[in-house]
Amino acid sequence: MTARILDGKALGTKLRARLGARIAGLGFKPGLRVVRVGEDPASGVYVRNKDRAALEAGFDSATLHLPEATSEAMLLAEIARLNADPAVDGILVQLPLPGHIRAEAAIAAVDPAKDVDGFHPLNAGRLAAGQKGLVPCTPRGVMHLLAEAGVVLPGARALVLGRSQIVGRPMAQLLLGADCTVTIAHSRTRDLPGECRRAEILIAAAGRAEMVRGDWISPGAVVIDVGINRLADGRLGGDVAFQEVVVHAAAISPVPGGVGPMTIACLLENTLEAAVARRGLVAGWRKAPR
Ligand code: NAD
């Protein structure tokens, strides 16, 4: 068996085009502001990609780049200003922040209605409670990839490898909301290969290069690789040993070109959703996960 490759680049392009068409019919440009503090080099690339994708799809997008020396109080004041600006529908505080600023304080300062990263505790709580809210972009992108793969979710055994606030936990909540039987594995899990072998859907988000091996995969499983790791030879790679797994799985997302482009597309999806909900245009545009 050779797995079907789930092309996140193509799917992300399709989703962004759909969002662009929807914006064209709105009569206004949803506003996205990305707040970057300091000079983390990877953040520079991410922020530029987000800005470009947003502008191309017809959003009013801009990056607020604050100096490394910005104090926490100054950052919170900027966030408060964006919260109060009626033209701003979505606010994203790019992580990591410099060490003297508490990420939790910045995340909690964002108006939950504009929290397009879905990291605010209120949105995290809503997701856990099965209520409508803004959902973190990466797990949301994974759900799109699973839909594209034609996976029947109700009753499926899903394993999420990783329990972070930004990927693993919300991922598990979304799968649970879609009626999967969900296991969350993490750094203290005993017999990780055995847990993985039971999974029909495996979402790898541990941040460990190629840790998921071919003989961890149940034949015909669908494997989504969230990891982004710099490999010894300088290339980017995922958490899954692609060449080993591709011969066992039914479908697999590559790195790069899998989850990454879907994350950006879902940031835009969240921004449009926030704009529509804030402005009272279409109530309940998206159904809440159960
Ligand atoms: P994190 O470091 O916050 O969390 C990693 C999780 O993996 C932890 O819960 C930990 O318990 C678990 N883990 C680590 N080592 C393990 C091991 N040896 N065995 C079992 N579990 C282990 O990372 P994160 O922010 O959740 O990101 C995970 C990966 O996804 C990273 O590579 C990150 O770069 C990538 N990522 C990609 C996107 C994207 O858009 N594609 C977005 C966010 C994160």
Side-chain angles (χ1 to χ4, degrees):
M1 178 191 296
T2 299
R4 175 178 162 205
I5 308 300
L6 300 172
D7 184 346
K9 209 169 155 198
L11 189 59
T13 302
K14 229 162 64 183
L15 176 54
R16 286 186 282 117
R18 256 203 335 260
L19 298 173
R22 218 181 122 82
I23 289 173
L26 275 181
F28 71 93
K29 288 172 176 257
L32 172 65
R33 296 293 176 269
V34 177
V35 184
R36 179 182 174 207
V37 188
E39 298 302 330
D40 177 72
S43 294
V45 179
Y46 291 143
V47 163
R48 269 195 300 282
N49 288 344
K50 286 169 187 173
D51 235 0
R52 197 181 49 225
L55 289 169
E56 271 173 22
F59 289 80
D60 160 25
S61 172
T63 298
L64 192 65
H65 191 178
L66 303 173
E68 181 86 21
T70 303
S71 69
E72 185 175 301
M74 283 157 70
L75 174 61
L76 298 189
E78 279 300 335
I79 294 171
R81 192 179 60 73
L82 296 172
N83 284 343
D85 184 342
V88 174
D89 297 292
I91 303 168
L92 180 152
V93 181
Q94 183 66 42
L95 302 178
L97 290 167
H100 62 276
I101 300 177
R102 293 167 303 147
E104 314 87 78
I107 290 167
V110 174
D111 177 350
K114 298 187 177 188
D115 168 38
V116 285
D117 247 343
F119 294 166
H120 191 286
L122 189 72
N123 282 319
R126 283 175 175 151
L127 181 60
Q131 295 172 8
K132 197 166 144 38
L134 288 162
V135 171
C137 307
T138 299
R140 191 168 187 184
V142 172
M143 295 304 281
H144 280 296
L145 282 170
L146 291 174
E148 175 72 6
V151 183
V152 178
L153 295 174
R157 279 194 302 277
L159 180 118
V160 180
L161 173 52
R163 57 174 163 183
S164 73
Q165 300 290 348
I166 65 170
V167 188
R169 281 169 206 253
M171 187 73 252
Q173 295 292 354
L174 284 177
L175 291 167
L176 191 60
D179 297 327
C180 290
T181 301
V182 182
T183 301
I184 305 176
H186 48 77
S187 52
R188 306 295 294 270
T189 295
R190 283 196 307 270
D191 187 20
L192 188 55
E195 295 293 346
C196 289
R197 274 183 212 114
R198 277 188 284 280
E200 296 162 294
I201 299 168
L202 196 157
I203 316 288
R208 300 279 179 269
E210 302 188 330
M211 76 176 287
V212 177
R213 313 306 311 189
D215 62 355
W216 296 20
I217 303 299
S218 161
V222 173
V223 179
I224 307 286
D225 192 351
V226 179
I228 302 177
N229 309 291
R230 186 64 65 184
L231 305 178
D233 61 8
R235 285 179 306 126
L236 281 187
D239 288 357
V240 175
F242 186 89
Q243 296 303 340
E244 290 180 17
V245 170
V246 77
V247 295
H248 297 288
I252 183 169
S253 70
V255 178
V259 175
M262 292 309 298
T263 296
I264 294 192
C266 288
L267 168 67
L268 304 185
E269 194 176 33
N270 275 353
T271 304
L272 177 52
E273 200 164 291
V276 164
R278 276 187 61 247
R279 297 166 193 242
L281 292 178
V282 184
W285 179 46
R286 185 174 61 80
K287 275 168 68 182
R290 283 183 295 122

